Amino acid sequence: MQKYTPSKIIQLILEGFEDKVLDSGDLWDCLTCNQCLKDCPEDINFADIVRTARYLMRHRNQSVDEYVAHKGIYTTLSEIMSRPYINPERNMEWVPKGCKISDKGNILYYVGCLPFFNYEFEGLDTIAKSTLQIMCKVENEPIVVLSEETCCGHDIYWGQGKLKTFIKLAKKNIDKFEKTGISKIVTACAECYRTFKIDYAQLFEEFESKFEVKHLIEYIYDNWKEGTIEFVKPNKYEEITPFTYHDPCRLSRFLSKENDITGMTREIFKEFEKLGYKFNEMKHNKKNSLCCGVNSWMNCNEKSKALRYTRMLEAKEAGKIMITSCPKCNIHLSCLQNDFEDIASIEILDFSEFLVNHIKVRKSRKKEESK
Amino acid sequence: MQGSVLVIGGGIAGIQTSLDLTELGFKVYLVERNPSIGGRMAQLDKTFPTNDCSLCILAPKMVEVFRNPNIELMTYHELKAVSGTPGDFIATIIKKPRYIDETRCKGCGDCAAKCPKIQVPNLFDMNLGKRKSAYIPFPQAVPPIYLIDPEICLKLTKGVCGVCAKVCQAEAINFEQVEQEIKINVGAIVIATGFDMPAEKLSSRWGYRFENVVSALEYERILCASGPFGGHVLRPGDHEEPEKIAFIQCAGSRDLHEGIRYCSSVCCMYTAKEAIITSEHSEKSKCFVFRHDIRAFGKNFYEFTQRAQKEYGVKYIQTKISKIEENPETKNLTIHYENLKTGEFDNFEANLVVLATPLVHSSGSQELSEILGIEVDEYNFFRELDYYNKSKSTKEGIYLCGFCQGPMDIPETVADSSGVAGQVAAYLNSVKFEQIKEKDIEIPELGIKDDDEPRIGVLICHCGINIGKYVHVPLLAEYVRTLPNVIQCEDNLYSCSSDSQARIKELIINNKLNRFIVASCTPRTHEALFQETCVEAGLNKYLFEMVNIRDQCSWVHMDDAEAATQKAKDLIRMAVAKARLLKPLKEELLKITPTALIIGGGIAGMTAALNTANQGFKTFIVEKETVLGGNLNYLNELYPIEQDASDFLNRTIDTIEKNENIQTFLNAKIKKVKGYVGNYVVSVEESNGNVQELSIGTIIVATGGKEYKPKDLFQYKKENKNVITQLELEQLLKEKGKSWLDDINRITTILCVNARQNEGITYCSNICCGNSIKNIGLLKKLKPELELIVLYRDLQMAKKRYEDYYRERRKDAMFLRYDLDNLPIVKRKSKSPEKYGIKYYDTNLQDFLEFETDLIVLSTPMVPSDNLMDLAKMLKVPLDKNGFFLEAHVKLRPLDFATEGIFLCGCAQWPKNVQDTISQANGAAGRASRFLSAKEITTSGIVAEVNPINCIGCGKCVSVCAYNAIDILDSIKEYEDVSLLVKKSFINSALCKGCGTCAATCPNGAISIKQYDFDQITAMIESFLLET
């Protein structure tokens, strides 16, 4: 049971009693989903406060061990990658035939840590495959995909408040990006997206001007609006398939008001109604979306399971397929399906997996340039 | 330059400014896009803090607008375009088709009665009630003309029906009507477009979509006797009486998430009022107010909220609301909230929830701003030109009035409207009265001889259900017809409506009546209206008598209809007895001296003086100090504009000195005030002992206020140099640079020191919160390392820019909340260096907290200036229980005194900041210059008269006259053998107010009051006791 409520926590910090707050350890419980930000009349970003507090709590020798899931192996991997003498070498077998990749170019597909999760959580490869296929169709040049890609640092940063490690990872990444000569980064992971778009931009002055960051959703949306791609090939089932979308917190509440990824998805889904699908919103949607229950591998406990179960029940009511655009949401929600039969029938698909077979390139970029 | 003004918007702001403008000499075009004027005030049930019925105090003004020959009332019109230049605008106005000819419609309602039952939600009832396609927005609509909704009318959409045209006896239905374009030429434009309350825009957590959650305006309609539920407190869903009603404050205002950054300013007060009225309406319903900061900063406002809790049992809980959910079976609401006092989270089940939703600009403001070429500010209100003059828009010749500029309540709006009128008058001074036409008395007054047989007409009013529900009016009318000398007796639904006035005139003329009685509501609000109607029919207004069968009968005898009806019979019979003896009275014409006297040379006095002077009237300022400026001399900087107070002061004083129409007396005082409105003789004693006698037309009181010194409270003592008041802090900040802060590291400000108490100073002084946090900001700038603490109870930041200002200041200091139950305890810890220890109860820790501080700043309330009693006696004006001057009516006449010819503005009325003071000063000057512009006025005919034969000159009458209207004069009486020096009492009818005290006191019965003489009163008593 929490000792202090959020408004009390803030007031205590303002009054100079942050010791009480930090010593109570309450802030380890927070999922940093920022549902509280949605309604806050003063726009207070509580998740940022929690992240900073975690940094301070660790320095008071509070151990993360009882809160982190899977014995902390995933965050440990990130930490290892931050060491200067470690250069990961990722398995590139997942790259589909026919997709041309390179280590120098204009546009980077930042895969993220998917391949490392694949041994325990199945089927994550298809996210990377689908995304790369989409990009290869659209772009007429090789896409940069780095086999020595380093973790973006999101989980280390948010889950454990490890600022220094995060900065080390960031510097490594930026260094690598600069060597490739890219100007554009596309990712299919909501957390990597948020990290580059906001956290890297905040900590490193020139990042924003050097690299344009897009989530796959934006990438597809922009291309669709420009007329480069269209949505084709109706649904393989004869009957209309109802589906729904789980907005990841990092793509709804964590973005600035002008960044309307939420709206973009809805526009795309409306188009899909022509292809034999029916889009239904879940009870909690868009900025009101529920958290997937776990953040940065922290707090996977019974409360988290209850939260996920609620979410899956909402999904069941809304459709046969649940789309999401964050691999973590995907993992955590799928994981629950192992425990409960009644929600196991829902197909959880990543945005890229859902769209990859429905995208057709109308006019290739090369033709455009030669006109 | 044109001598006419376009006023856009017919709410209370538009109405008041139009009325004032005509008296100041300008023709007014009043354009209102709805079919009736009245605006939001017409939708309210009662108004705070007097709990007057809103429409009752508004309707007379609405009818005054309608009957005013110099106001062209253009309802159901909209402004389309404006061209031309300031002083010479050309406005294109669209007249929307009513499909009913305005010149023929009598407002009888036959068309609506026969209109088929296709009903749509009634906008006036906030969509809670329904109306048909042929309709009138509400019964007291002005003008009382029906209209047809082209979207649902069967004839206009499908070409069928048309029944209304068949039943309309006046042949007013015209389905061929089309939109018309009208062009008018005006000198100035006033925007008075008011506000909207779009509750549907709120986020879902407030639960507005649930059937038993309503917005405050919807609740007003529920409470209103003429609303959709007939004044029964029922919930919209199932029409059940709610046992627990929850009022939610700050439901969306002050909320960045909802996009409303400011405080809507009036909700704290209207919620208390709604809770009080609910408690009066219904035994069963219990009211709970979920409040955050209470902002009750106006006159008598804070005591009103306290009364709600102490006398009416309304429970106030200090909370923050999480969300509101609905129980799908019972349709009750569950409110999830945090109790800020205990820190606990809790759920509250309510049967009905009333949300105090944000008040925003009227729809169409953006388009209007583009048509006019003026700017809109960051909150979407119209932008004022600068802080010092919120009435001016960003374009010359276009003025802003009321809520369209920023949140304000009705008294402020009324004052603002008068201020705008005063400024427009100064702007268009050269063309005053050019387009004014005098009121034509079509029918000259009929001569009535004393022995003429009385022919009495009686009109009995149902007043909707106010009278009609409790008194059997038709039975009453039958009875009255049997009384001798009653020639005609009728009853109707609303005697105050304009068509009723026409009926009264008809009755008088057709039946050759020479007395008229209306039995309805209170003469306080409606006597003047009916008297004017009689005059228009050729009947002297003193041959009219009013009987109050509402306030004094139906309202107080709701539980016994039979007795109420009998009492009404008695009351009317008594009135008829008196009416037989009524005589026509003459009113005197008084000339007005075109000069103004301003008492007090602070910013209020100076602003008022500049206004009257710019209208061409010679103005005198009498100031008791040696310099002009009043409290402004002690202020350092003004907030939220962060400008130097002395700069502004010096600029203003410069303007005063350069104005040829203004004469200033410094270090002077008022010795004596003789005379009466328009004809004062004021003796001013100058600094050198000389006494000047000034001839004055009107007087404006602008005596300001002063800071309360909290002797011995919180260690405020002479020897404690580091415990100071806010004004003392202002001095330090002004004069001492920052060296005095060298040894000071922590400063604690305590707000509400000796204010908002249970006894003594019970009021909220309005300005201290803002002033304190302004100083916090300045201190932080001077020395950024300072630790600043503010101990507060509620933070008063109600004005459009203040909430954002407060947000910025929250970064500078630590804000700790205390309440009246647990005052902070201050002890002196050491003498040199001075250090203090403060102990207070921290609600976050639920425990006491102690800390040390180097300097303590006490925010104390503003109290009235010294020696006001003497001045009040001289002017014969009252002071209220707090010692501030008491205005004529807190709501609709905030700048007038009950005594005619004297006006009030600034902190002499109530503590307020510089911006509001300037607005009020312009308002008082506007009100005053109505007299000065008129050149002559008429006095009342109801005065006391001495019969010299019976007068023995004892002088008792002189000693009891409150208006100093009586003198004992010597006269010599010659008889055959001797001459006698006799003393006789003489009453000045211009000063006499007809109160009757002298008549009651005179031992010889030598004094009688016209209209209430002994014969008349005896007749009434005999009629009651001896007749049936």
Side-chain angles (χ1 to χ4, degrees):
Chain A
M1 202 51 216
Q2 277 214 319
K3 184 154 187 235
Y4 297 117
T5 57
S7 51
K8 268 220 195 341
I9 288 173
I10 292 178
Q11 187 65 13
L12 285 171
I13 295 174
L14 287 175
E15 287 181 25
F17 289 111
E18 55 186 63
D19 290 346
K20 285 202 192 317
V21 174
L22 298 173
D23 287 338
S24 74
D26 273 355
L27 292 176
W28 289 118
D29 284 332
C30 178
L31 292 175
T32 71
C33 72
N34 249 348
Q35 260 238 322
C36 46
L37 175 61
K38 170 180 79 65
D39 284 328
C40 178
E42 292 297 318
D43 264 353
I44 295 177
N45 197 325
F46 200 73
D48 280 352
I49 296 176
V50 168
R51 194 192 65 220
T52 316
R54 285 178 179 174
Y55 175 87
L56 294 169
M57 288 196 275
R58 274 187 315 105
H59 284 267
R60 282 158 194 263
N61 294 322
Q62 286 182 27
S63 163
V64 178
D65 290 346
E66 62 180 274
Y67 301 99
V68 72
H70 296 280
K71 301 222 167 64
I73 179 168
Y74 297 104
T75 44
T76 310
L77 287 172
S78 297
E79 262 202 88
I80 295 175
M81 279 193 255
S82 75
R83 301 281 183 260
Y85 40 86
I86 298 279
N87 253 333
E89 212 181 278
R90 296 183 182 230
N91 173 354
M92 300 298 269
E93 281 176 11
W94 57 272
V95 178
K97 288 200 186 64
C99 282
K100 289 207 174 61
I101 60 169
S102 140
D103 55 0
K104 280 208 172 31
N106 284 318
I107 179 166
L108 168 75
Y109 169 40
Y110 184 84
V111 184
C113 294
L114 290 174
F116 292 120
F117 302 154
N118 208 27
Y119 81 92
E120 191 167 355
F121 304 103
E122 291 176 4
L124 293 174
D125 276 15
T126 38
I127 299 180
K129 273 194 197 129
S130 311
T131 310
L132 191 55
Q133 273 177 319
I134 294 172
M135 289 177 74
C136 284
K137 268 195 219 176
V138 174
E139 304 294 324
N140 278 289
E141 48 180 78
I143 313 286
V144 177
V145 181
L146 298 174
S147 78
E148 28 359 320
E149 207 182 79
T150 313
C151 175
C152 69
H154 174 278
D155 295 339
I156 280 278
Y157 192 38
W158 287 92
Q160 306 185 22
K162 285 192 168 157
L163 179 64
K164 294 191 194 118
T165 314
F166 177 70
I167 293 181
K168 282 191 210 154
L169 284 168
K171 282 193 176 147
K172 262 194 165 181
N173 268 320
I174 295 176
D175 205 44
K176 294 199 171 117
F177 296 159
E178 282 176 343
K179 291 209 175 86
T180 61
I182 52 155
S183 58
K184 229 178 176 177
I185 303 174
V186 176
T187 176
C189 172
E191 297 183 330
C192 300
Y193 174 73
R194 141 80 203 205
T195 305
F196 292 141
K197 191 101 180 162
I198 297 178
D199 298 320
Y200 276 32
Q202 238 176 33
L203 291 171
F204 301 94
E205 263 183 57
E206 291 169 2
F207 186 82
E208 212 172 346
S209 50
K210 283 195 207 157
F211 306 107
E212 189 190 346
V213 180
K214 277 198 173 162
H215 189 275
L216 181 66
I217 296 173
E218 286 177 303
Y219 180 76
I220 291 178
Y221 182 84
D222 288 344
N223 277 305
W224 173 50
K225 285 284 163 175
E226 282 166 21
T228 320
I229 60 171
E230 57 182 354
F231 302 120
V232 296
K233 258 211 238 162
N235 166 13
K236 58 188 176 192
Y237 301 115
E238 274 180 14
E239 27 175 69
I240 296 189
T241 313
F243 74 101
T244 185
Y245 178 68
H246 166 83
D247 294 274
C249 60
R250 263 71 179 148
L251 288 185
S252 56
R253 291 183 286 277
F254 273 73
L255 300 177
S256 67
K257 284 197 170 94
E258 298 79 46
N259 196 334
D260 192 22
I261 287 188
T262 321
M264 288 180 197
T265 51
R266 276 23 181 219
E267 269 191 66
I268 294 175
F269 294 146
K270 199 146 173 43
E271 274 297 298
F272 269 67
E273 306 213 320
K274 299 178 192 158
L275 298 176
Y277 292 97
K278 174 86 175 68
F279 175 65
N280 297 319
E281 296 276 8
M282 286 189 275
K283 183 173 171 214
H284 290 88
N285 56 64
K286 299 194 203 131
K287 283 213 152 78
N288 199 9
S289 179
L290 287 183
C291 175
C292 65
V294 177
N295 179 272
S296 308
W297 303 107
M298 301 281 282
N299 296 319
C300 177
N301 49 32
E302 262 188 33
K303 270 188 282 185
S304 163
K305 288 202 175 149
L307 181 56
R308 282 182 266 165
Y309 189 62
T310 313
R311 191 44 156 179
M312 293 305 286
L313 285 177
E314 284 187 8
K316 192 168 173 188
E317 218 185 288
K320 292 211 178 91
I321 306 176
M322 177 165 78
I323 316 272
T324 179
S325 45
C326 173
K328 293 290 211 40
C329 293
N330 198 325
I331 292 171
H332 301 314
L333 291 169
S334 309
C335 182
L336 197 75
Q337 291 183 310
N338 299 331
D339 292 346
F340 296 96
E341 255 192 58
D342 55 341
I343 50 165
S345 59
I346 304 162
E347 198 183 342
I348 301 183
L349 281 182
D350 185 82
F351 194 77
S352 58
E353 296 174 290
F354 183 59
L355 262 76
V356 66
N357 294 321
H358 295 298
I359 290 187
K360 179 175 160 196
V361 178
R362 282 171 79 203
K363 32 187 180 168
S364 117
R365 287 254 171 85
K366 215 173 189 177
K367 283 197 185 128
E368 274 294 313
E369 280 157 20
S370 67
K371 271 198 186 134
Chain B
M1 277 216 160
Q2 298 291 321
S4 55
V5 182
L6 167 63
V7 176
I8 307 173
I12 180 61
I15 289 173
Q16 184 64 47
T17 210
S18 302
L19 291 170
D20 279 359
L21 279 168
T22 54
E23 288 187 271
L24 287 167
F26 302 97
K27 181 184 163 94
V28 171
Y29 296 92
L30 179 51
V31 169
E32 165 58 56
R33 67 183 174 189
N34 286 321
S36 167
I37 54 175
R40 294 294 173 200
M41 197 174 163
Q43 291 180 290
L44 302 179
D45 175 38
K46 305 279 192 312
T47 53
F48 60 79
T50 51
N51 288 348
D52 283 318
C53 159
S54 181
L55 200 47
C56 295
I57 53 177
L58 180 63
K61 282 199 197 264
M62 284 164 64
V63 179
E64 228 186 297
V65 164
F66 186 61
R67 295 151 60 87
N68 193 317
N70 292 307
I71 299 179
E72 196 161 317
L73 188 52
M74 302 162 90
T75 53
Y76 214 47
H77 287 57
E78 260 187 85
L79 182 66
K80 181 174 162 186
V82 168
S83 59
T85 54
D88 217 323
F89 292 110
I90 301 171
T92 310
I93 299 173
I94 301 289
K95 180 178 178 190
K96 299 187 279 194
R98 285 181 185 248
Y99 305 102
I100 294 181
D101 187 341
E102 296 91 344
T103 58
R104 294 181 173 197
C105 173
K106 298 276 172 277
C108 68
D110 280 347
C111 52
K114 292 286 182 280
C115 183
K117 274 210 174 279
I118 305 160
Q119 298 201 345
V120 292
N122 179 345
L123 194 60
F124 183 77
D125 272 340
M126 296 306 287
N127 297 336
L128 286 172
K130 290 218 191 290
R131 58 145 175 96
K132 294 185 184 172
S133 142
Y135 70 104
I136 199 168
F138 55 101
Q140 299 91 333
V142 168
I145 300 172
Y146 280 69
L147 67 156
I148 296 178
D149 184 344
E151 307 221 331
I152 57 172
C153 169
L154 289 176
K155 180 81 176 179
L156 291 168
T157 51
K158 296 189 181 141
V160 297
C161 182
V163 173
C164 49
K166 297 185 191 122
V167 296
C168 175
Q169 307 227 342
E171 293 178 14
I173 309 287
N174 180 358
F175 292 109
E176 313 298 317
Q177 262 188 16
V178 289
E179 229 178 56
Q180 280 182 338
E181 214 180 75
I182 303 170
K183 274 196 162 66
I184 57 173
N185 201 200
V186 291
I189 300 179
V190 176
I191 308 174
T193 48
F195 62 89
D196 258 351
M197 188 188 241
E200 61 277 5
K201 296 224 173 103
L202 283 179
S203 75
S204 56
R205 75 179 174 112
W206 299 102
Y208 181 65
R209 64 195 176 287
F210 302 130
E211 60 187 47
N212 290 323
V213 175
V214 295
S215 73
L217 257 184
E218 288 167 9
Y219 192 63
E220 291 279 341
R221 296 312 304 153
I222 292 177
L223 279 178
C224 190
S226 59
F229 301 152
H232 295 290
V233 181
L234 303 173
R235 49 186 217 169
D238 50 18
H239 291 229
E240 288 285 318
E241 255 193 277
E243 271 180 41
K244 289 202 279 181
I245 305 180
F247 294 86
I248 312 287
Q249 308 256 222
C250 295
S253 302
R254 308 172 67 191
D255 194 326
L256 298 178
H257 180 75
E258 303 287 349
I260 310 287
R261 306 176 68 95
Y262 54 86
C263 165
S264 293
S265 301
V266 295
C267 337
C268 288
M269 282 306 291
Y270 73 54
T271 298
K273 167 202 71 175
E274 287 175 355
I276 288 179
I277 300 299
T278 307
S279 311
E280 287 183 344
H281 272 236
S282 134
E283 280 272 309
K284 202 174 164 197
S285 307
K286 294 273 170 275
C287 297
F288 298 85
V289 176
F290 289 79
R291 54 88 125 191
H292 188 224
D293 282 307
I294 288 285
R295 283 142 185 215
F297 49 89
K299 192 157 182 165
N300 303 327
F301 285 7
Y302 186 69
E303 293 91 322
F304 186 77
T305 59
Q306 296 304 97
R307 266 180 65 209
Q309 296 172 70
K310 293 183 185 146
E311 281 178 41
Y312 293 89
V314 177
K315 269 213 92 196
Y316 272 61
I317 314 167
Q318 202 175 318
T319 60
K320 274 279 199 178
I321 306 291
S322 165
K323 64 178 169 210
I324 300 177
E325 293 184 312
E326 185 192 47
N327 177 327
E329 279 140 34
T330 58
K331 302 292 183 188
N332 286 345
L333 294 319
T334 309
I335 302 168
H336 302 282
Y337 69 98
E338 180 183 353
N339 184 324
L340 293 177
K341 248 193 161 162
T342 62
E344 305 279 307
F345 278 88
D346 217 339
N347 297 334
F348 183 86
E349 195 182 350
N351 305 101
L352 176 67
V353 167
V354 181
L355 298 174
T357 54
L359 302 176
V360 304
H361 62 102
S362 253
S363 63
S365 295
Q366 186 62 40
E367 290 86 338
L368 187 59
S369 72
E370 282 161 23
I371 291 174
L372 293 168
I374 58 173
E375 280 176 36
V376 150
D377 67 20
E378 64 269 36
Y379 307 108
N380 287 321
F381 292 111
F382 293 108
R383 186 189 292 282
E384 63 273 27
L385 185 62
D386 62 48
Y387 171 79
Y388 299 109
N389 198 330
K390 63 179 179 162
S391 307
K392 292 198 173 141
S393 76
T394 49
K395 186 163 170 182
E396 188 193 326
I398 303 185
Y399 295 82
L400 307 172
C401 183
F403 215 108
C404 69
Q405 182 266 336
M408 58 176 78
D409 59 20
I410 294 174
E412 230 192 295
T413 302
V414 171
D416 200 36
S417 312
S418 297
V420 167
Q423 289 185 69
V424 171
Y427 179 63
L428 297 176
N429 196 31
S430 54
V431 287
K432 253 186 188 173
F433 288 106
E434 273 187 11
Q435 293 192 31
I436 288 284
K437 55 177 182 215
E438 288 301 320
K439 195 151 192 192
D440 281 328
I441 306 289
E442 288 168 5
I443 303 180
E445 191 180 307
L446 280 176
I448 311 274
K449 290 197 281 277
D450 275 353
D451 52 3
D452 275 351
E453 181 89 16
R455 293 174 64 79
I456 305 175
V458 183
L459 180 60
I460 310 180
C461 184
H462 286 248
C463 196
I465 58 163
N466 274 301
I467 298 175
K469 184 167 176 186
Y470 308 101
V471 170
H472 198 307
V473 174
L475 214 64
L476 204 52
E478 240 185 78
Y479 167 76
V480 171
R481 279 184 207 113
T482 64
L483 298 172
N485 297 110
V486 172
I487 307 295
Q488 268 287 6
C489 175
E490 277 186 10
D491 61 283
N492 71 358
L493 200 58
Y494 290 104
S495 302
C496 55
S497 61
S498 355
D499 58 302
S500 293
Q501 307 321 300
R503 180 64 188 148
I504 293 174
K505 282 191 266 189
E506 225 174 57
L507 285 170
I508 294 174
I509 295 171
N510 293 349
N511 294 289
K512 294 192 174 50
L513 301 173
N514 54 23
R515 310 280 193 278
F516 204 81
I517 297 176
V518 171
S520 63
C521 56
T522 170
R524 270 186 305 119
T525 48
H526 287 70
E527 185 173 57
L529 168 65
F530 294 123
Q531 283 178 334
E532 234 195 287
T533 307
C534 290
V535 169
E536 285 174 12
L539 197 60
N540 181 292
K541 74 192 228 195
Y542 295 99
L543 295 171
F544 167 78
E545 182 70 15
M546 194 158 169
V547 186
N548 189 339
I549 57 170
R550 188 193 67 180
D551 313 44
Q552 294 176 7
C553 190
S554 70
W555 271 3
V556 292
H557 302 303
M558 289 187 198
D559 51 347
D560 192 344
E562 211 182 294
T565 309
Q566 181 57 48
K567 179 170 172 179
K569 283 187 187 166
D570 293 336
L571 287 171
I572 298 180
R573 185 178 68 246
M574 289 160 73
V576 170
K578 177 180 175 187
R580 295 189 192 108
L581 299 173
L582 284 176
K583 298 187 188 60
L585 300 174
K586 200 164 183 306
E587 288 179 338
E588 283 187 39
L589 272 179
L590 288 179
K591 284 213 160 303
I592 307 278
T593 318
T595 61
L597 169 68
I598 321 277
I599 307 178
I603 186 62
M606 290 194 286
T607 308
L610 284 169
N611 189 310
T612 47
N614 288 339
Q615 288 189 56
F617 305 111
K618 179 118 182 83
T619 307
F620 302 96
I621 303 179
V622 173
E623 165 58 52
K624 70 177 184 201
E625 303 291 340
T626 50
V627 289
L628 290 173
N631 277 321
L632 206 48
N633 281 306
Y634 310 125
L635 290 185
N636 174 35
E637 247 187 43
L638 299 175
Y639 72 96
I641 47 173
E642 293 176 357
Q643 281 180 24
D644 201 32
S646 344
D647 279 346
F648 168 60
L649 178 58
N650 292 334
R651 282 201 309 266
T652 314
I653 294 180
D654 202 44
T655 323
I656 295 270
E657 284 170 357
K658 292 203 172 101
N659 193 311
E660 291 173 352
N661 274 336
I662 302 181
Q663 189 180 345
T664 312
F665 295 92
L666 293 171
N667 208 0
K669 52 177 200 251
I670 312 271
K671 277 233 87 155
K672 207 165 170 188
V673 176
K674 276 206 304 230
Y676 45 90
V677 54
N679 299 279
Y680 290 106
V681 176
V682 179
S683 314
V684 176
E685 187 182 304
E686 297 183 79
S687 46
N688 53 17
N690 265 357
V691 175
Q692 282 232 33
E693 304 256 316
L694 305 171
S695 287
I696 301 290
T698 65
I699 302 176
I700 298 180
V701 174
T703 49
K706 63 175 202 240
E707 188 186 49
Y708 175 81
K709 300 292 181 200
K711 243 169 67 97
D712 293 329
L713 283 178
F714 298 115
Q715 296 292 327
Y716 183 77
K717 293 178 186 146
K718 214 168 168 191
E719 68 259 27
N720 290 343
K721 296 275 181 282
N722 280 5
V723 180
I724 55 178
T725 64
Q726 287 287 350
L727 268 191
E728 287 160 16
L729 176 63
E730 299 263 348
Q731 295 282 72
L732 285 171
L733 288 169
K734 208 170 158 161
E735 291 157 15
K736 286 230 182 153
K738 56 177 174 171
S739 57
W740 64 282
L741 288 172
D742 283 345
D743 294 323
I744 295 185
N745 299 311
R746 184 185 279 170
I747 304 179
T748 306
T749 302
I750 305 182
L751 299 182
C752 289
V753 171
N754 201 38
R756 302 165 89 223
Q757 309 279 301
N758 287 325
E759 300 168 327
I761 299 187
T762 53
Y763 58 88
C764 164
S765 182
N766 191 1
I767 51 174
C768 342
C769 286
N771 203 46
S772 309
I773 70 166
K774 165 194 78 177
N775 287 333
I776 295 290
L778 290 173
L779 285 167
K780 197 76 180 178
K781 251 200 267 189
L782 274 184
K783 185 174 174 179
E785 318 84 77
L786 274 177
E787 266 182 31
L788 300 168
I789 299 176
V790 176
L791 289 167
Y792 73 102
R793 280 170 57 191
D794 284 307
L795 224 94
Q796 202 293 84
M797 281 287 122
K799 282 288 160 179
K800 86 175 155 174
R801 298 230 154 72
Y802 290 12
E803 199 66 41
D804 271 333
Y805 187 69
Y806 174 37
R807 274 191 192 94
E808 285 301 307
R809 300 282 77 77
R810 277 200 86 108
K811 299 176 190 166
D812 297 332
M814 196 190 302
F815 283 76
L816 304 172
R817 200 170 199 154
Y818 75 92
D819 61 44
L820 200 52
D821 304 331
N822 260 318
L823 290 177
I825 301 172
V826 179
K827 290 204 170 78
R828 193 172 71 181
K829 288 276 162 115
S830 69
K831 201 165 175 189
S832 154
E834 253 183 273
K835 271 204 190 323
Y836 295 88
I838 301 188
K839 184 173 169 180
Y840 93 104
Y841 186 75
D842 186 297
T843 48
N844 289 298
L845 299 170
Q846 291 285 308
D847 198 359
F848 285 94
L849 202 60
E850 287 193 51
F851 60 92
E852 277 191 10
T853 183
D854 303 305
L855 178 70
I856 298 180
V857 183
L858 301 174
S859 264
T860 54
M862 181 183 267
V863 290
S865 291
D866 295 324
N867 301 326
L868 289 185
M869 281 290 266
D870 295 334
L871 183 61
K873 278 208 183 92
M874 268 194 269
L875 295 170
K876 303 183 198 109
V877 293
L879 299 174
D880 71 12
K881 71 170 168 54
N882 292 315
F884 292 98
F885 284 100
L886 183 58
E887 60 268 50
H889 188 267
V890 169
K891 207 74 177 172
L892 290 187
R893 294 181 68 197
L895 304 173
D896 299 3
F897 277 110
T899 311
E900 281 214 288
I902 312 185
F903 301 91
L904 177 60
C905 61
C907 295
Q909 185 252 348
W910 191 253
K912 52 181 69 76
N913 62 24
V914 172
Q915 188 184 58
D916 291 337
T917 300
I918 293 175
S919 169
Q920 268 207 348
N922 276 317
R927 298 290 295 163
S929 47
R930 282 156 53 245
F931 282 105
L932 301 175
S933 305
K935 298 184 187 113
E936 58 184 24
I937 57 165
T938 49
T939 59
S940 172
I942 303 181
V943 290
E945 208 177 36
V946 179
N947 181 352
I949 297 173
N950 290 347
C951 175
I952 56 170
C954 68
K956 286 205 169 63
C957 50
V958 178
S959 59
V960 296
C961 178
Y963 300 95
N964 291 353
I966 310 183
D967 285 309
I968 300 290
L969 299 179
D970 291 341
S971 68
I972 309 252
K973 271 228 131 115
E974 303 276 358
Y975 289 97
E976 279 177 12
D977 303 327
V978 289
S979 358
L980 280 181
L981 177 68
V982 290
K983 292 181 190 290
K984 295 286 177 189
S985 170
F986 170 76
I987 300 177
N988 182 343
S989 56
L991 286 174
C992 174
K993 292 290 169 215
C995 70
T997 313
C998 53
T1001 311
C1002 175
N1004 258 16
I1007 305 182
S1008 64
I1009 307 292
K1010 295 193 177 157
Q1011 195 77 354
Y1012 294 93
D1013 65 36
F1014 289 120
D1015 292 338
Q1016 290 162 348
I1017 304 238
T1018 313
M1020 291 175 86
I1021 297 175
E1022 285 184 347
S1023 160
F1024 175 64
L1025 292 174
L1026 302 178
E1027 300 170 22
T1028 47

